[in-house]
Amino acid sequence: MEQYGTTIRQIRLRKGFSHKEIYSGILSKSFAIEFEKGRYDIKFDRMLSILDRLMISVEELLLIHNQYGRAPGRESLLHVDLERVKNDPSYADTMERQLREESRTDKTSFSRLQHAEIVALMCAYGSPDAQRSPEYQAAKNYIQRYLFDVETWTLSEFRIYSDMSFLFESGDVKTSLFLTAWETLEKYQAHPDHPIYLSHLLVNHLYSFICSKQYAIARKAVERLKELTADPNMLSWKVPTIYYDGLLDYASGKTQAGMAKIERAKGIYCLCGNAFMAEEMENGLQAMRGL
């Protein structure tokens, strides 16, 4: 594995991790330095421990090492069980206590980040007062600082951003992180689920960009969605693409063309028996008109 040491160093530096955070208890400082220079091999179990602290999988290491040209295994980008955190307070409490203890004993960025995530999620799904608590603010600040400090994101940062998007209310902050997330996913085109993850990202943010009149970003996102949904396997994303294309036209002054696309998207959902989505599209249009 000596050829992977330089790649490990590249990932570590781009994420802003120190030698101690990654190698403490795994490799000595002098051996770690030589390993990162590609001069020594290490046992596989130690490599797994290092990758765990870097928050990447073996498959992702291979993908990065091969300049994003080899597909990793089919893995979920989202590892947090959001539904259980939202609906099962005992599960959330147990996770919080466990991760708090791990962050106290481990003291790595990975442990502290995991604890910050669960605290933020518990507060977000709790009462409005919980989101004004010092614990929530500390967790929010830690996660935001971490994402901004990482020079080059991997899938773990994208997962954190996806899970924690509710933390980023400010327009400039939200836009900056969205563009970083988009840039990250575009590097993973060898990933078998790349089109789905990218479509999900773009569709989830298009409405806010249209409403905030960031039409250049919105148009770029719509055009990328058109490319993605040209694939017959992506037909389920075709209707939202038509809708947001129409909404963007409508908002930017092409009223008649925009309404034609919006009505087309609504009509497709109605024909498919999905009146709920057609109604949601109409509600989105009316809400945008009221801005």
Side-chain angles (χ1 to χ4, degrees):
M1 281 189 196
E2 67 274 7
Q3 58 185 305
Y4 295 108
T6 55
T7 303
I8 293 291
R9 180 177 185 274
Q10 177 188 37
I11 296 169
R12 178 180 66 78
L13 292 176
R14 287 178 174 176
K15 291 198 174 201
F17 290 150
S18 66
H19 261 274
K20 184 176 181 180
E21 285 187 302
I22 300 303
Y23 297 111
S24 178
I26 303 174
L27 301 176
S28 67
K29 183 176 181 179
S30 59
F31 194 95
I33 291 172
E34 295 302 306
F35 164 67
E36 288 193 348
K37 290 179 180 178
R39 294 176 181 172
Y40 289 117
D41 193 2
I42 64 172
K43 293 182 179 180
F44 188 64
D45 60 340
R46 294 189 176 185
M47 175 65 86
L48 291 177
S49 298
I50 290 168
L51 295 181
D52 186 50
R53 291 184 180 179
L54 286 170
M55 299 182 288
I56 66 171
S57 65
V58 174
E59 291 81 4
E60 190 174 358
L61 171 64
L62 294 173
L63 185 68
I64 295 171
H65 183 74
N66 288 283
Q67 305 297 312
Y68 301 94
R70 183 186 301 176
R74 284 186 172 268
E75 59 192 82
S76 171
L77 295 184
L78 308 176
H79 302 299
V80 177
D81 192 337
L82 299 179
E83 288 303 312
R84 286 198 69 186
V85 172
K86 182 177 181 179
N87 300 315
D88 186 351
S90 63
Y91 167 78
D93 288 339
T94 299
M95 281 190 64
E96 191 278 328
R97 287 195 300 271
Q98 178 183 336
L99 293 171
R100 185 191 337 133
E101 185 59 31
E102 287 182 7
S103 68
R104 286 174 177 171
T105 56
D106 191 353
K107 297 188 183 299
T108 63
S109 293
F110 175 55
S111 294
R112 293 196 296 269
L113 194 58
Q114 282 198 315
H115 182 247
E117 281 191 83
I118 191 63
V119 169
L121 286 168
M122 290 173 69
C123 292
Y125 292 137
S127 66
D129 289 339
Q131 297 184 39
R132 292 191 285 269
S133 69
E135 293 80 10
Y136 176 79
Q137 294 301 321
K140 173 182 175 179
N141 291 337
Y142 188 87
I143 293 167
Q144 287 187 343
R145 187 168 64 252
Y146 171 81
L147 289 177
F148 272 112
D149 286 348
V150 175
E151 179 184 337
T152 303
W153 285 10
T154 59
L155 294 183
S156 58
E157 282 73 39
F158 177 78
R159 175 189 62 79
I160 294 165
Y161 170 76
S162 296
D163 290 350
M164 304 284 118
S165 59
F166 59 84
L167 296 177
F168 314 113
E169 307 95 348
S170 168
D172 291 342
V173 170
K174 188 173 183 179
T175 300
S176 176
L177 290 177
F178 166 79
L179 292 174
T180 301
W182 187 352
E183 180 184 358
T184 297
L185 278 186
E186 291 290 17
K187 293 186 301 184
Y188 286 84
Q189 294 189 27
H191 194 292
D193 292 324
H194 165 264
I196 295 172
Y197 291 125
L198 183 54
S199 297
H200 193 274
L201 174 73
L202 299 179
V203 166
N204 277 358
H205 290 81
L206 260 169
Y207 189 78
S208 65
F209 285 124
I210 294 171
C211 289
S212 60
K213 299 183 180 181
Q214 297 184 70
Y215 298 145
I217 295 175
R219 177 56 64 192
K220 183 179 177 182
V222 166
E223 293 305 317
R224 187 69 178 99
L225 278 169
K226 288 179 180 179
E227 294 172 359
L228 293 168
T229 56
D231 183 344
N233 295 318
M234 295 291 292
L235 286 178
S236 61
W237 296 94
K238 191 77 172 182
V239 182
T241 300
I242 295 170
Y243 172 71
Y244 284 114
D245 189 19
L247 205 63
L248 178 57
D249 280 349
Y250 182 91
S252 58
K254 302 175 184 178
T255 308
Q256 187 172 353
M259 280 304 303
K261 293 174 184 176
I262 292 169
E263 291 301 324
R264 180 186 172 199
K266 288 167 55 182
I268 293 172
Y269 273 135
C270 287
L271 285 172
C272 295
N274 196 339
F276 173 77
M277 284 304 301
E279 184 178 350
E280 286 294 292
M281 287 182 168
E282 180 61 27
N283 290 340
L285 173 63
Q286 296 304 323
M288 191 189 70
R289 284 172 169 168
L291 293 177

